[in-house]
């Protein structure tokens, strides 16, 4: 998601660690009576020395099982963990690619099927454009099932490069230890924590976005070739050569500015809104014990409900802010394919834009700043300007 792409929730590690710590505390307190009872049942020392009752093995073996003899497990398993994230991201990207493909074709204004007459919730007759499933079925009829994955290769490379970049940056610039924000912090202290965390996230997101954007541009152009049935961009290496020859180095970064602005607005808006809700509306004294016990009576479950609420708050705020930043995604994608020699980036589908601000103003006048944001119930608006086949 910049605002475009699916993102890793930065609040999850803190919440998981907090809940894990709470569970560990409960286990330590709950395990004492069992230990005393076990010692009462133990045989005398003479029996434990018998060959039939050998002493337990030394503890260092358990340490080797976790991280090996060479050092902590986190350091040794870092490459494996990063590869796992890349593979997982590739799977999610491949599964969601048809959805992004259809959305991009709708964004550029390609409507190969006429609208159908229907009724809304008020019973009024309205014109509906084809939904995602109808559009995807049309693509399969034209290009086959493999056609739904046009432009997937550069997109996989873009996401993998973004993931590797973020992982490398975390190693070079490790994040500082940031405590959990609570309503016990004063406004100045808690806000300082959020600003510090958001600034770190923004740095990583902007750098990874800039490095992966050229591949994003290639992926967009490969997909919109469906409109004019072109074959100008057929592979990553050949596409790099064509863009550099025709547009120069700046051709790889068309549409980058609105994507960066969307990422920045999304991060700050989501984190600040979630901060004010979590810090001043969520009560840390709330306990989720079945009997309503206070924190002193059941410290193991202290703050567990508050931590869960905070995690969901950040998630909900992310959805809300992503809807508001959608125009940045739309403008960035349209600029990536505008005036590149493909039919989808030329009239009648789109005028030749001088800049992304020109594109924004044009869409705003047409009432199309949220075009493609809905893929299920798509009504024909009065300002729509679609090129029908």
């Amino acid at each position: 998601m910049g605002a475009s792409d699916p993102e890793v929730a930065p609040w999850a590690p803190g919440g998981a660690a907090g809940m894990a710590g709470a569970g560990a505390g409960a286990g330590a307190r709950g395990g004492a009576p069992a230990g005393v009872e076990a010692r009462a049942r133990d045989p005398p020392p003479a029996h434990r020395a018998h060959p039939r009752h050998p002493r337990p093995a030394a503890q260092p073996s358990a340490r080797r099982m976790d991280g090996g003899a060479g050092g902590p497990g986190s350091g040794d398993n870092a490459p494996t963990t990063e590869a796992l994230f890349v593979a997982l991201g590739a799977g999610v990207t491949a599964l969601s690619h048809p959805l992004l493909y259809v959305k991009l074709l709708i964004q550029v204004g390609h409507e190969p099927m006429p609208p159908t007459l229907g009724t809304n919730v008020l019973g009024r007759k309205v014109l509906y454009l084809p939904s995602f499933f109808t559009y995807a079925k049309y693509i399969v009829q034209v290009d086959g099932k493999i056609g739904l994955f046009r432009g997937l290769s550069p997109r996989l490379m873009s996401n993998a490069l973004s993931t590797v970049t973020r992982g490398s940056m975390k190693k070079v610039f490790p994040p500082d230890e940031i405590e959990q924000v609570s309503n016990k912090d004063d406004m100045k202290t808690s806000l300082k924590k959020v600003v510090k965390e958001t600034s770190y996230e923004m740095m990583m997101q902007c750098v990874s976005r800039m490095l992966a954007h050229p591949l994003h541009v290639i992926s967009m152009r490969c997909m919109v070739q469906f409109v004019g049935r072109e074959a100008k961009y057929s592979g990553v290496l050949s596409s790099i050569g064509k863009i550099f020859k025709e547009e120069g180095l700046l051709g790889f970064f068309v549409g980058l500015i609105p994507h960066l602005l969307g990422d920045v607005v999304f991060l700050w808006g989501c984190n600040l809104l979630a901060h004010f809700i979590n810090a001043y509306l969520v009560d840390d004294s709330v306990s989720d014990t079945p009997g309503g016990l206070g924190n002193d009576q059941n410290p193991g479950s202290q703050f567990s409900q508050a931590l869960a609420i905070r995690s969901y708050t950040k998630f909900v705020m992310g959805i809300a802010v992503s809807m508001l930043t959608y125009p940045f995604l739309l403008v960035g994608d349209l600029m990536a394919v505008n005036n590149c020699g493909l039919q989808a980036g030329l009239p009648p589908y789109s005028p030749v834009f001088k800049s992304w601000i020109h594109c924004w103003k044009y869409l705003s006048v047409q009432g199309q700043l949220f075009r493609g944001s809905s893929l299920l119930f798509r009504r024909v608006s009065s300002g729509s300007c679609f090129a029908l086949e």
Side-chain angles (χ1 to χ4, degrees), residues 39 79 108 149 157 169 193 204 214-219 229 250 255 274-275 294 300 316 326 330 345 370:
R39 285 196 296 272
V108 299
F149 299 94
M157 296 173 64
M169 289 187 64
K193 294 177 183 178
M204 289 198 304
L215 291 169
H216 175 76
V217 171
I218 295 174
S219 177
R229 312 305 298 164
L250 294 179
H275 158 67
V316 173
Y326 178 81
L330 174 61
F370 290 89

Side-chain angles (χ1 to χ4, degrees), residues 261-312:
L261 289 176
D263 291 341
V264 172
V265 173
F266 173 81
L267 284 173
W268 285 100
C270 177
N271 287 359
L272 289 178
L273 286 175
H275 158 67
F276 287 118
I277 293 175
N278 290 338
Y280 305 112
L281 297 182
V282 179
D283 189 3
D284 283 342
S285 63
V286 177
S287 175
D288 62 346
T289 53
L293 299 176
N295 294 329
D296 294 336
Q297 300 181 24
N298 195 352
S301 61
Q302 186 177 9
F303 304 148
S304 58
Q305 185 176 1
L307 288 171
I309 294 175
R310 286 194 175 99
S311 298
Y312 284 111

Side-chain angles (χ1 to χ4, degrees), residues 166-389:
R166 295 174 70 92
S168 301
M169 289 187 64
K170 285 184 178 180
K171 295 176 184 177
V172 178
F173 305 102
D176 296 332
E177 196 70 26
I178 301 177
E179 299 178 2
Q180 180 71 34
V181 176
S182 69
N183 58 4
K184 295 182 180 181
D185 295 322
D186 58 77
M187 181 178 294
K188 185 176 180 180
T189 302
S190 58
L191 186 60
K192 184 178 180 180
K193 294 177 183 178
V194 174
V195 169
K196 189 176 183 179
E197 178 184 359
T198 306
S199 299
Y200 181 79
E201 293 177 13
M202 182 182 66
M203 177 191 67
M204 289 198 304
Q205 179 62 25
C206 289
V207 173
S208 62
R209 168 71 71 179
M210 287 188 292
L211 292 179
H213 191 74
L215 291 169
H216 175 76
V217 171
I218 295 174
S219 177
M220 297 292 104
R221 295 185 179 184
C222 288
M223 285 187 275
V224 298
Q225 289 183 135
F226 177 83
V227 176
R229 312 305 298 164
E230 297 107 337
K232 182 178 180 179
Y233 300 95
S234 56
V236 175
L237 294 179
S238 61
S239 299
I240 292 175
K242 285 185 176 67
I243 294 176
F244 184 78
K245 181 179 180 180
E246 296 178 2
E247 305 172 50
L249 190 61
L250 294 179
F252 295 103
F253 298 97
V254 287
L256 174 62
I257 294 179
H259 273 300
L260 287 177
L261 289 176
D263 291 341
V264 172
V265 173
F266 173 81
L267 284 173
W268 285 100
C270 177
N271 287 359
L272 289 178
L273 286 175
H275 158 67
F276 287 118
I277 293 175
N278 290 338
Y280 305 112
L281 297 182
V282 179
D283 189 3
D284 283 342
S285 63
V286 177
S287 175
D288 62 346
T289 53
L293 299 176
N295 294 329
D296 294 336
Q297 300 181 24
N298 195 352
S301 61
Q302 186 177 9
F303 304 148
S304 58
Q305 185 176 1
L307 288 171
I309 294 175
R310 286 194 175 99
S311 298
Y312 284 111
T313 301
K314 193 93 175 260
F315 175 74
V316 173
M317 288 300 100
I319 296 176
V321 176
S322 65
M323 295 175 62
L324 296 177
T325 57
Y326 178 81
F328 291 99
L329 163 68
L330 174 61
V331 172
D333 288 346
L334 290 182
M335 291 303 298
V337 301
N338 188 253
N339 196 25
C340 65
L342 299 178
Q343 186 175 338
L346 296 170
Y349 289 95
S350 170
V352 176
F353 298 117
K354 299 177 181 178
S355 66
W356 71 271
I357 298 178
H358 179 204
C359 178
W360 185 293
K361 291 180 179 179
Y362 174 82
L363 293 174
S364 179
V365 171
Q366 297 291 331
Q368 296 293 306
L369 275 176
F370 290 89
R371 183 170 68 190
S373 58
S374 176
L375 295 178
L376 294 180
F377 303 101
R378 304 172 52 225
R379 292 177 53 184
V380 178
S381 61
S382 57
S384 297
C385 51
F386 298 108
L388 300 176
E389 286 187 349

Side-chain angles (χ1 to χ4, degrees), residues 102-132:
V102 172
K103 173 178 286 191
L104 179 63
L105 294 179
I106 294 174
Q107 286 177 338
V108 299
H110 182 56
E111 296 292 345
M113 294 166 287
T116 57
L117 185 63
T119 56
N120 58 12
V121 292
L122 300 178
R124 297 178 179 177
K125 293 183 178 181
V126 293
L127 289 175
Y128 285 100
L129 291 166
S131 65
F132 162 76

